């Protein structure tokens, strides 16, 4: 007898397993793997929704209940997705529903409030032949001008949505009803796609003749692809070396082999420019997925993928779940970006998902970056990733001239403003010569650190060598890693100056100051505040270019992907705020950001200049970035990581315990810590720290306590997580204290 193994759509951890149900005779043709069904559950046999994960034959059906109903017309999860759900459940110690939520678009799942469905639109079409229609119109049978307009429009189009007819012809629905009664036209409900860029025409592009550097890389990639075996590549290539062109040629190769590809880009790089390039090359074979699509639009893009109507998906992190069934290639561009790590449950990294999917499909995985993450580069030197380097820009354009300004000297010379004299002079020059300037301000990690503006000293943790974070409520400085704390100093412990205070400026303040300094200049600002609308990102950039605005002020958002030939000057206002985010990756981020922001200058004919303002002009990451020298940065950084035992030499895991009741949260965190200490034998290779108050000690009225684990064996951490999850699941519910766990989080807060 056939039975289905079913996972409940919305269950607590306790019921989070696969249950067998009999498939009744009348549903035998409708039930398939990956489809949703309604089943009776529990003593009361209430109806609940679930996913069929497996069909199997068995004779032991005595105690089994039967499926009541089938929800979907076609499966919402394919076989690959079902396997991936099972894998994620183990790897991220999450529930089935958490993993499933990643794979189906919002609105489809059972637990979501808004249901999105295929969009069915009422369309009108002619019920008569064209000659007949012509005769009606010309032969005076129809006299009313409004009716004639409808018939004329329908003669030119097979179908038109009634709502469009109303909009374009200006006639009312009753006119159409009249025509329909006379039998001239008819209505039909048709399923349509909400195409986010409907009507937009993309300039088509052909594959370019590759240069020799590109050719070498492509040959390696193709050779690997033909082997039909899982392999990982890192393309480390300077910006403008032609990586994207390589991606596109590999995708074509993959398509020609009848397989599908996914391209991941950071959300902020999903600029119209990027979308245009892929749409221009591959047209309607591409689905595009990003967070600014409406629910309906996202649902439709997902459906195109599921139904095999496209073979390429371009998108941000979540696109790694594009439900293809014959995946051959995944490209992760700007692989070093934070945005590939999910910060909500399940806390997956897109790289791990990509790897898991391609392993089972024997596909290839390509990471691309001009500034690879230290971990990826390390594995390309000492691991399974194959390294491909590209050192030249396609158009032989030179890298911009980079200069650092020591802000301590500015203060010494009596300049207390946030702009150095040098930067002011250069901006003035750019305004006069009608060239554009970008001013960049780091906002990542809103943490604020304490810096002496006289001598450049930054307050650091003596144990972790990481900048301490300033907390205004108790005037103390705290280490995000070990919990070390110290009182905020009144005078600099090194030079005794009073110019020691916490550091941090907003883009708005910069804008005000710039307008004061340069009343004649046009200024535009781009940050989270100014880009909340659906197209505002695009509008700001379009205006910057089209109106030749003098100065663009912005945060991380403007760091990459933008190509404005008339930008010849880039100012980086507080390089120190990148160096002191209280994160062990601070130097890495600094190197990456300076490199990327600098890359915005001098993309046209006129060479670019970059000015970096800092209180720490001897820092190795700033110096390496100025010299465009990734390798020297890497060598210094990797030896520091090894010395201080940070990734890739170990894994850092955190458990956050949070609740409205501070005491209850603390108590549970102590219990969890003790449980771990009992089972987890620490040695020189591993450690448990805490519980200590989390740096973000209270969010939405919940107090947060944190336990930190260090261990080079990831599997060991996963098994600890599993154990914690099992042991404290019930207690967490009864005491209303939640806990969440993460391995190698992108921030430690
Ligand atoms: P990256 O992704 O490494 O920044 P791109 O692929 O965007 O580099 O290439 C930079 C520029 O050079 C783009 O305008 C691209 O169209 C152009 N380009 C890339 N490859 C070639 C080539 N082989 N011949 C001519 N132009 C190219
Ligand atoms: Zn000092
Ligand atoms: Zn510390």
């Amino acid at each position: 007898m056939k039975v289905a193994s079913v996972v409940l759509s919305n269950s607590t951890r306790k019921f989070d397993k696969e249950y067998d149900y009999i498939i009744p005779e009348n549903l035998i043709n409708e039930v398939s793997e990956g489809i949703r069904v309604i089943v009776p559950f529990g003593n009361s046999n209430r109806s609940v929704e679930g996913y069929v994960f497996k069909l199997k034959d068995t004779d032991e059906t005595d105690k089994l209940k039967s499926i009541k109903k089938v929800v979907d017309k076609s499966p919402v999860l394919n076989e690959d997705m079902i396997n991936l759900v099972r894998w994620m459940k183990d790897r991220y110690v999450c529930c089935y529903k958490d993993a499933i939520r990643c794979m189906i678009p919002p609105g489809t799942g059972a637990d979501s409030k808004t249901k999105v469905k295929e969009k069915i639109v009422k369309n009108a079409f002619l019920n008569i032949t064209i000659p007949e229609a012509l005769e009606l119109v010309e032969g005076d049978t129809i006299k009313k001008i409004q009716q004639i307009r409808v018939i004329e429009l329908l003669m030119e189009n097979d179908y038109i949505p009634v709502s469009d007819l109303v909009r374009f012809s200006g006639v009312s629905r009753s006119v159409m009803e009249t025509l329909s009664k006379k039998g001239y036209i008819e209505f039909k409900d048709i399923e349509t796609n909400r195409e986010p860029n409907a009507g937009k025409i993309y300039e088509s592009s052909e594959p370019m003749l590759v240069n020799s550097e590109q050719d070498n890389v492509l040959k390696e990639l193709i050779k690997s692809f033909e082997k039909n075996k899982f392999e990982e590549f890192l393309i480390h290539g300077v910006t403008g070396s032609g990586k994207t062109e390589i991606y596109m040629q590999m995708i074509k190769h993959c398509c020609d082999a009848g397989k599908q590809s996914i391209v991941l880009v950071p959300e902020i790089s999903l600029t119209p420019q990027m979308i245009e390039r892929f749409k221009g090359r591959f047209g309607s074979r591409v689905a595009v997925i990003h967070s600014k699509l409406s629910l309906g639009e996202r649902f439709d893009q997902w459906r195109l993928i599921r139904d095999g109507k496209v073979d390429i998906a371009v998108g941000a992190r979540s696109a790694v779940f594009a439900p293809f069934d014959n995946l051959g290639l995944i490209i992760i561009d700007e692989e070093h970006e934070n945005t590939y790590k999910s910060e909500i449950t399940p806390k997956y990294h897109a790289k791990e998902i990509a790897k898991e999917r391609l392993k089972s499909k024997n596909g290839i995985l390509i990471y691309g970056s001009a500034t690879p993450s230290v971990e990826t580069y390390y594995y390309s030197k000492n691991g399974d990733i194959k390294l491909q380097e590209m050192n030249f820009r396609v158009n032989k354009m030179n890298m911009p001239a980079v200069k650092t300004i020591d802000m301590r000297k500015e203060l010494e010379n009596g300049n207390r403003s946030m702009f150095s004299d040098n930067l002011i002079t250069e901006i003035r020059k750019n305004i006069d010569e009608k060239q554009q300037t970008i001013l960049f301000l780091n906002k990542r990690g809103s943490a604020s650190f304490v810096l002496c503006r006289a001598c450049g000293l930054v307050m650091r943790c003596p144990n972790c060598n990481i900048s301490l974070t300033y907390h205004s409520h108790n005037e103390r400085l705290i280490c995000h890693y070990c919990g070390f704390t110290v009182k905020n100093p009144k005078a600099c412990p090194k030079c005794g100056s009073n110019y020691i205070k916490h550091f941090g400026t907003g883009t708005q303040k910069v804008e005000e100051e710039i307008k004061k300094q340069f009343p004649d200049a046009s200024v535009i600002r781009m940050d989270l505040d100014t880009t909340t609308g659906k197209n505002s990102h695009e509008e700001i950039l379009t205006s910057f270019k089209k109106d030749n605005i003098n100065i663009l002020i912005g945060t991380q958002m403007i760091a990459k992907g933008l190509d404005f030939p008339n930008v010849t000057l880039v100012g980086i206002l507080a390089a120190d705020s990148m160096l002191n985010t209280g994160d062990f990756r601070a130097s890495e981020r600094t190197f990456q950001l300076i490199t990327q922001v600098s890359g915005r200058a001098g993309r046209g004919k006129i060479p670019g200049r970059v000015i970096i303002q800092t209180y720490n002009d001897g820092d190795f990451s700033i110096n390496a970035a100025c010299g465009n020298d990734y390798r020297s940065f890497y060598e210094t950084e990797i030896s520091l990581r090894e010395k201080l035992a940070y990734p890739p030499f170990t894994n850092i895991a955190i458990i956050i315990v949070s609740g409205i009741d501070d005491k209850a949260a603390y108590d549970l965190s102590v219990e969890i810590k003790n449980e771990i200490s009992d089972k987890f034998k620490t040695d020189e290779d591993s450690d448990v720290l805490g519980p200590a108050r989390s740096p973000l000690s209270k969010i939405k009225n919940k107090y947060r306590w944190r336990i930190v684990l260090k261990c080079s064996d990831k599997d060991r951490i996963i098994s600890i997580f599993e154990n914690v999850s099992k042991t404290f699941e019930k207690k967490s519910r009864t005491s209303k204290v939640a806990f969440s766990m993460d391995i190698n989080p992108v921030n430690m807060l």
Side-chain angles (χ1 to χ4, degrees):
M1 185 151 213
K2 273 247 181 281
V3 299
S5 157
V6 174
V7 163
L8 305 185
S9 297
N10 198 1
S11 96
T12 56
R13 207 168 265 282
K14 192 168 165 198
F15 302 111
D16 200 41
K17 46 186 166 242
E18 301 187 18
Y19 294 94
D20 285 349
Y21 282 91
I22 294 171
I23 305 170
E25 204 57 43
N26 62 323
L27 294 179
I28 218 102
N29 292 326
E30 290 175 53
V31 174
S32 59
E33 287 178 358
I35 215 154
R36 282 177 302 177
V37 290
I38 303 290
V39 294
F41 192 77
N43 293 335
S44 59
N45 280 333
R46 71 203 151 88
S47 292
V48 298
E49 193 195 83
Y51 293 81
V52 174
F53 262 44
K54 200 175 176 55
L55 298 180
K56 48 191 185 186
D57 286 304
T58 180
D59 298 325
E60 293 161 41
T61 53
D62 294 355
K63 294 198 189 85
L64 298 186
K65 301 172 187 176
S66 295
I67 291 176
K68 284 187 175 167
K69 216 167 92 184
V70 175
V71 177
D72 304 297
K73 279 191 232 119
S74 46
V76 288
L77 294 171
N78 65 25
E79 193 189 339
D80 291 359
M81 293 293 132
I82 291 174
N83 290 335
L84 191 59
V85 169
R86 291 203 177 103
W87 179 83
M88 286 177 75
K89 183 173 153 62
D90 290 341
R91 166 62 184 81
Y92 302 108
V93 195
C94 64
C95 295
Y96 284 107
K97 65 167 185 230
D98 300 323
I100 293 172
R101 191 173 2 92
C102 300
M103 294 174 202
I104 55 178
T108 330
D111 52 348
S112 56
K113 289 175 194 73
T114 38
K115 288 258 181 202
V116 183
K117 286 233 153 56
E118 290 83 359
K119 192 177 181 190
I120 308 285
V121 171
K122 186 175 178 184
N123 276 250
F125 64 97
L126 279 181
N127 198 24
I128 47 180
T129 63
I130 300 277
E132 282 170 342
L134 258 179
E135 211 173 294
L136 279 183
V137 177
E138 286 170 1
D140 252 17
T141 325
I142 302 183
K143 295 198 187 75
K144 294 223 169 75
I145 186 75
Q146 293 205 322
Q147 295 186 2
I148 292 174
R149 224 181 272 159
V150 173
I151 297 287
E152 279 177 346
L153 276 166
L154 286 176
M155 278 165 27
E156 287 163 24
N157 298 277
D158 292 344
Y159 289 93
I160 302 182
V162 172
S163 55
D164 283 357
L165 266 176
V166 172
R167 193 155 9 123
F168 297 131
S169 66
V171 302
S172 66
R173 279 167 199 265
S174 65
V175 172
M176 280 174 266
E177 291 299 333
T178 313
L179 287 172
S180 150
K181 271 194 206 112
K182 288 185 182 162
Y184 299 147
I185 71 172
E186 223 179 312
F187 302 115
K188 190 175 177 198
D189 289 340
I190 298 176
E191 205 180 284
T192 57
N193 269 321
R194 285 151 288 210
E195 167 62 47
N197 289 305
K200 185 156 180 166
I201 295 167
Y202 297 95
E203 201 176 315
S204 73
S205 84
E206 294 294 321
M208 290 179 181
L209 196 62
V210 291
N211 64 26
S212 66
E213 228 183 6
Q214 287 171 315
D215 192 42
N216 290 339
V217 177
L218 262 174
K219 279 207 181 100
E220 285 301 314
L221 296 175
I222 289 172
K223 203 162 80 193
S224 165
F225 188 86
E226 311 281 89
K227 272 194 285 189
N228 207 20
K229 172 171 155 268
F230 171 70
E231 275 187 325
E232 292 170 278
F233 287 87
L234 167 64
I235 306 181
H236 174 213
V238 295
T239 29
S241 56
K243 295 186 292 297
T244 310
E245 183 61 31
I246 293 182
Y247 302 158
M248 292 198 286
Q249 302 212 7
M250 269 315 286
I251 292 168
K252 168 139 198 319
H253 197 84
C254 184
C255 283
D256 291 348
K259 295 187 178 185
Q260 300 131 357
S261 326
I262 296 174
V263 186
L264 300 184
V265 296
E267 185 72 57
I268 31 183
S269 309
L270 264 174
T271 51
Q273 288 172 335
M274 193 72 172
I275 296 174
E276 245 157 58
R277 283 179 79 174
F278 281 90
K279 281 276 189 188
R281 185 72 57 91
F282 299 106
S284 58
R285 300 176 75 165
V286 189
V288 179
I289 303 166
H290 56 86
S291 64
K292 289 198 171 173
L293 295 181
S294 70
L295 284 186
E297 286 167 348
R298 221 189 287 193
F299 180 68
D300 288 345
Q301 296 294 304
W302 176 81
R303 225 154 33 99
L304 289 175
I305 298 168
R306 184 197 63 181
D307 298 342
K309 302 223 168 88
V310 295
D311 33 30
I312 304 158
V314 179
R317 180 179 68 226
S318 64
V320 76
F321 294 106
F324 289 125
D325 53 15
N326 193 16
L327 200 55
L329 171 68
I330 297 180
I331 292 159
I332 306 186
D333 191 31
E334 311 280 6
E335 65 83 30
H336 58 274
E337 281 293 328
N338 267 339
T339 54
Y340 291 126
K341 175 84 166 58
S342 167
E343 296 207 67
I344 55 167
T345 305
K347 300 188 173 179
Y348 69 89
H349 199 298
K351 284 183 198 169
E352 292 172 331
I353 303 290
K355 210 164 151 173
E356 186 55 29
R357 289 192 73 175
L358 289 171
K359 266 189 197 161
S360 63
K361 290 283 161 187
N362 292 318
I364 70 171
L365 176 52
I366 301 174
Y367 310 109
S369 176
T371 53
S373 68
V374 170
E375 283 98 325
T376 304
Y377 200 73
Y378 176 79
Y379 292 123
S380 78
K381 294 257 170 204
N382 313 278
D384 292 336
I385 302 177
K386 301 204 158 50
L387 179 63
Q388 299 290 325
E389 311 235 35
M390 294 173 64
N391 299 315
F392 302 100
R393 286 187 158 179
V394 172
N395 56 7
K396 305 277 184 278
M397 197 166 53
N398 283 326
M399 294 295 177
V402 187
K403 186 172 181 181
T404 51
I405 303 285
D406 185 346
M407 291 304 281
R408 290 169 296 189
K409 297 231 171 74
E410 298 286 316
L411 186 71
E412 225 173 271
N413 298 335
N415 176 7
R416 288 192 200 173
S417 85
M418 58 175 90
F419 311 114
S420 60
D421 291 343
N422 208 305
L423 183 58
I424 295 279
T425 315
E426 295 295 328
I427 296 177
R428 181 79 262 163
K429 202 160 111 197
N430 253 28
I431 295 172
D432 294 343
E433 288 173 8
K434 298 202 165 40
Q435 292 172 19
Q436 293 175 290
T437 300
I438 290 179
L439 293 181
F440 173 80
L441 190 71
N442 175 67
K443 282 309 277 180
R444 182 173 286 150
S446 51
S448 111
F449 61 100
V450 170
L451 171 122
C452 171
R453 306 224 309 173
C455 77
L457 174 95
V458 170
M459 296 294 289
R460 285 177 187 280
C461 173
N463 310 321
C464 310
N465 194 35
I466 275 172
S467 60
L468 296 169
T469 301
Y470 169 73
H471 285 247
S472 60
H473 66 97
N474 57 1
E475 280 292 312
R476 289 192 80 84
L477 310 180
I478 298 170
C479 170
H480 280 181
Y481 285 78
C482 69
F484 171 86
T485 126
V486 65
K487 213 165 165 30
N488 188 26
K490 294 249 165 9
C492 173
K494 190 170 156 203
C495 76
S497 159
N498 296 332
Y499 278 108
I500 184 161
K501 58 174 186 183
H502 64 272
F503 195 90
T505 328
T507 39
Q508 218 169 334
K509 180 118 180 283
V510 175
E511 187 181 14
E512 282 163 23
E513 288 296 311
I514 280 287
K515 282 182 171 158
K516 248 187 254 164
Q517 287 270 359
F518 306 103
D520 57 326
S522 51
V523 181
I524 198 165
R525 177 163 64 95
M526 183 151 125
D527 54 25
L528 273 182
D529 296 338
T530 61
T531 53
T532 44
K534 185 163 172 163
N535 293 317
S536 46
H537 193 263
E538 188 174 349
E539 279 157 19
I540 291 175
L541 296 177
T542 309
S543 159
F544 178 60
K545 187 168 192 167
K546 191 176 76 254
D547 307 333
N548 200 30
I549 303 267
N550 294 125
I551 301 166
L552 169 67
I553 299 168
T555 55
Q556 268 74 4
M557 273 179 209
I558 59 170
K560 60 192 59 98
L562 310 180
D563 192 356
F564 301 112
N566 201 29
V567 171
T568 53
L569 174 64
V570 168
I572 299 178
L573 290 182
D576 305 87
S577 69
M578 306 181 225
L579 282 174
N580 299 293
T581 48
D583 185 318
F584 74 88
R585 292 194 178 89
S587 294
E588 177 177 350
R589 302 262 177 257
T590 303
F591 180 85
Q592 288 162 350
L593 269 170
I594 293 180
T595 307
Q596 278 156 3
V597 179
S598 308
R600 302 308 112 217
R603 294 176 78 85
K605 292 205 178 65
I606 311 166
R609 292 111 67 215
V610 178
I611 292 179
I612 302 173
Q613 300 191 160
T614 171
Y615 291 88
N616 185 356
D617 70 339
D619 177 80
F620 77 94
S621 57
I622 295 182
N623 288 347
C626 290
N628 200 24
D629 187 352
Y630 179 83
R631 244 155 288 171
S632 91
F633 156 75
Y634 171 80
E635 296 302 338
T636 311
E637 178 68 14
I638 199 79
S639 65
L640 283 173
R641 298 265 184 109
E642 185 160 21
K643 209 161 79 197
L644 296 162
Y646 285 125
F649 300 98
T650 191
N651 297 288
I652 295 180
I654 61 172
I655 301 178
I656 298 268
V657 183
S658 64
I660 304 231
D661 182 344
D662 194 20
K663 172 96 177 31
Y666 175 72
D667 289 347
L668 188 68
S669 71
V670 171
E671 277 187 55
I672 292 177
K673 158 77 184 285
N674 291 341
E675 166 82 13
I676 295 172
S677 301
D678 284 351
K679 302 239 163 90
F680 178 74
K681 298 282 166 273
T682 59
D683 48 38
E684 60 195 38
D685 199 36
S686 59
D687 212 354
V688 207
L689 305 166
R693 276 202 195 278
S694 164
L696 287 174
S697 59
K698 198 175 172 188
I699 298 179
K700 290 187 187 145
N701 277 326
K702 288 196 175 127
Y703 293 93
R704 305 166 85 243
W705 291 87
R706 196 185 62 177
I707 300 161
V708 178
L709 280 163
K710 267 188 174 183
C711 179
S712 61
D713 181 357
K714 206 184 258 177
D715 292 337
R716 217 166 133 208
I717 301 182
I718 295 171
S719 64
I720 289 171
F721 279 8
E722 267 165 9
N723 179 34
V724 167
S725 158
K726 274 204 204 85
T727 316
F728 296 101
E729 196 268 324
K730 194 158 164 221
K731 179 118 195 206
S732 147
R733 256 184 300 129
T734 50
S735 60
K736 295 209 165 63
V737 174
F739 59 88
S740 74
M741 306 181 282
D742 196 359
I743 303 177
N744 297 330
V746 285
N747 79 56
M748 295 282 295
L749 308 179

